[in-house]
Amino acid sequence: MRIDIITLFPEVFTPLDTSIVKRAIDKGITEILIWNLRNFTKDKHKKVDDTPYGGGKGMVLQCEPIFAAVEHIKKQNKTSKVILTTPQGALFNQGVAKKLSSEKGLIIICGHYEGVDERISTIVDYEISIGDYVLTGGELPAMVITDALVRLLPGVLPKDAPVYDSFNRNLLDWPSYTKPATFKGMEVPEVLISGNHEKIAKWRKEESEKRTKKRRPDLYRNYLKQEKKNE
Ligand code: ADE
């Protein structure tokens, strides 16, 4: 999958050059291209924003360079879908990540400043927010979205690994432990050392349920509904 990111801050995208995402790039599973929005403006001062019509504080990103950037990238990858990162978007979650990971290509426009000219919505397929808080820009959301969906691409993680992710079953992960078995007087739960796989599976399921019920009652309600359906 090809992912193109349009941003005013191309230099911040180094985290995508490490670890699992880097391995996916090296294996040729994904290609991530970072585009500087300023290179698409016709303004001689490379200006990409202006004051809002109707008055008010702040600057609004202009249509022209964004349209030019998207048109340029679409010439190279016609089928790419376009995402705008914005706190006004639909909430991102594992289900959205899964859906996006089946697209052939994605163009992510990083929103910035106080807003983006609304006419950009005519070329956008998905407006996405990564949470109910306001960040200074769309760069971190673009990295979050890219990371979450690259790990779902076939061949990136061991086969079937993401099936056990938190959220796939409306359950949070169970607690994990590794060596040593005793640390500062804290013991690893005995069942995990028992070698009894049936008991371990039961314990993990119960711990996942307990944790989800306490920390994420919203998810837990969905889990119960899903369990009822499966009965
Ligand atoms: N830009 C600023 N805040 C954001 C958020 N929460 N999600 C996506 N884009 C954003």
Side-chain angles (χ1 to χ4, degrees), residues 84-91 110-113 128-142 145:
L84 173 67
T85 58
T86 163
Q88 277 66 248
L91 264 190
C110 301
H112 228 276
Y113 299 118
I128 294 180
S129 164
I130 61 159
D132 290 339
Y133 40 80
V134 181
L135 299 164
T136 53
E139 281 69 24
L140 288 170
I145 294 165

Side-chain angles (χ1 to χ4, degrees), residues 59-161:
M59 301 292 269
V60 176
L61 276 183
Q62 293 169 293
C63 285
E64 199 203 12
I66 296 180
F67 270 68
V70 170
E71 281 161 13
H72 178 81
I73 297 164
K74 280 212 168 177
K75 267 185 211 149
Q76 299 177 9
N77 209 24
K78 265 196 212 100
T79 53
S80 283
K81 292 278 167 63
V82 180
I83 295 173
L84 173 67
T85 58
T86 163
Q88 277 66 248
L91 264 190
F92 187 64
N93 60 23
Q94 193 66 23
V96 178
K98 214 189 260 173
K99 181 170 176 220
L100 292 176
S101 70
S102 65
E103 296 287 357
K104 289 211 180 73
L106 291 171
I107 300 169
I108 308 179
I109 305 166
C110 301
H112 228 276
Y113 299 118
E114 273 69 20
V116 177
D117 190 305
E118 189 61 28
R119 289 167 286 188
I120 280 157
S121 64
T122 57
I123 54 165
V124 165
D125 299 289
Y126 306 97
E127 295 196 24
I128 294 180
S129 164
I130 61 159
D132 290 339
Y133 40 80
V134 181
L135 299 164
T136 53
E139 281 69 24
L140 288 170
M143 281 189 260
V144 167
I145 294 165
T146 302
D147 186 289
L149 63 89
V150 165
R151 65 188 286 287
L152 294 176
L153 297 175
V156 174
L157 291 181
K159 222 169 168 240
D160 294 339

